[in-house]
Amino acid sequence: MSRAHTALRRAGLGTALAAAALLTAAGVASAHVTVHPDSYAKGATDGVIGFRVPDESDTASTTKVQLFLPTDHPLLGVLVSPHDGWTAKVTETKLKTPVKTDDGTITDAVSEITWTGGKVTPGHYEDFDVAFGQLPDDTAELTFKTLQTYSDGKVVRWIEEAAKGDEEPENPAPVLKLTSVTASGTATKSSVATPASTKASASDSTARGLGAAGLVVGVLGLAAGAFAVVRSRAAK
């Protein structure tokens, strides 16, 4: 085998390995607990929020999910959607500051929901839906810290919050943005949502697909350059 052919094979192998590494890194970076939809109008009523929990382990299954709801800006009228194979335990907490509504003053709100008994196997995800009666109207976002427990005992703490302008932390907590309402009474962004269990995250998938495609194109460009260099050397 000529040196030129050997060099070409090595260049091709190196390019393939680089592409695989980049795509793997992109997949791992995007696999964290997310909330769907990612925004609602402030004070929205009678909606559903879905929490998507992916299993990132190669060998262990997710067997427990603990979701912590904010109590400084509480969700009112929380209900948990039944989920096959899972049992949900709902914990309420007395509010430091009661919330006044048209139906009276609310002194207690759901602070934690824990799902157990089910299983999310490696390479898959589950959507856990939570219905609410009313969202707060006095904050721009809601943070839902989450603990994910695996069958091997490992616990991933999705609780990190990024300061404004900082990069996304390694284990970010799911964040729901709350948009303002215009003078006409309509939200600046649609507040009508579909449960996460029946709605695919098209925007996330598209963005990740484009990002992966960009990485592949870049790597293939490097491969083409290496191929041209090797050919020119072989021709001399």
Side-chain angles (χ1 to χ4, degrees), residues 35-230:
V35 58
H36 301 270
D38 59 4
S39 68
Y40 254 110
K42 291 182 178 180
T45 58
D46 300 325
V48 177
I49 304 172
F51 296 90
R52 179 160 297 173
V53 181
D55 189 289
E56 299 179 276
S57 174
D58 293 329
T59 57
S61 298
T62 297
T63 56
K64 182 179 180 180
V65 177
Q66 293 171 268
L67 178 70
F68 297 91
L69 286 68
T71 55
D72 52 346
H73 302 286
L75 281 70
L76 305 181
V78 169
L79 295 173
V80 181
S81 175
H83 201 67
D84 289 344
W86 295 86
T87 299
K89 177 184 178 182
V90 178
T91 301
E92 291 192 354
T93 298
K94 185 169 292 293
L95 300 174
K96 293 182 178 180
T97 304
V99 180
K100 295 182 178 180
T101 70
D102 294 338
D103 298 322
T105 300
I106 306 299
T107 58
D108 299 87
V110 174
S111 59
E112 179 183 347
I113 303 173
T114 300
W115 287 273
T116 56
K119 181 186 296 184
V120 184
T121 54
H124 296 83
Y125 70 85
E126 289 279 357
D127 288 328
F128 298 88
D129 293 336
V130 176
F132 62 83
Q134 183 175 341
L135 294 178
D137 59 5
D138 57 352
T139 184
E141 62 181 31
L142 296 173
T143 299
F144 298 88
K145 296 183 178 182
T146 307
L147 301 184
Q148 180 180 10
T149 301
Y150 285 87
S151 55
D152 59 3
K154 179 181 178 181
V155 178
V156 181
R157 301 168 63 83
W158 303 100
I159 63 173
E160 298 176 0
E161 302 179 56
K164 188 175 182 180
D166 288 351
E167 294 183 357
E168 184 179 72
E170 182 177 357
N171 295 313
V175 175
L176 177 69
K177 302 293 184 181
L178 297 183
T179 58
S180 300
V181 177
T182 64
S184 62
T186 59
T188 56
K189 191 173 182 180
S190 176
S191 63
V192 179
T194 303
S197 57
T198 58
K199 174 184 176 183
S201 181
S203 60
D204 285 352
S205 299
T206 301
R208 292 171 188 170
L210 291 174
L215 289 173
V216 172
V217 170
V219 172
L220 291 178
L222 291 175
F227 182 82
V229 171
V230 172

Side-chain angles (χ1 to χ4, degrees), residues 20-36:
L22 286 172
L23 291 175
T24 299
V28 171
S30 62
H32 51 70
V33 177
T34 52
V35 58
H36 301 270

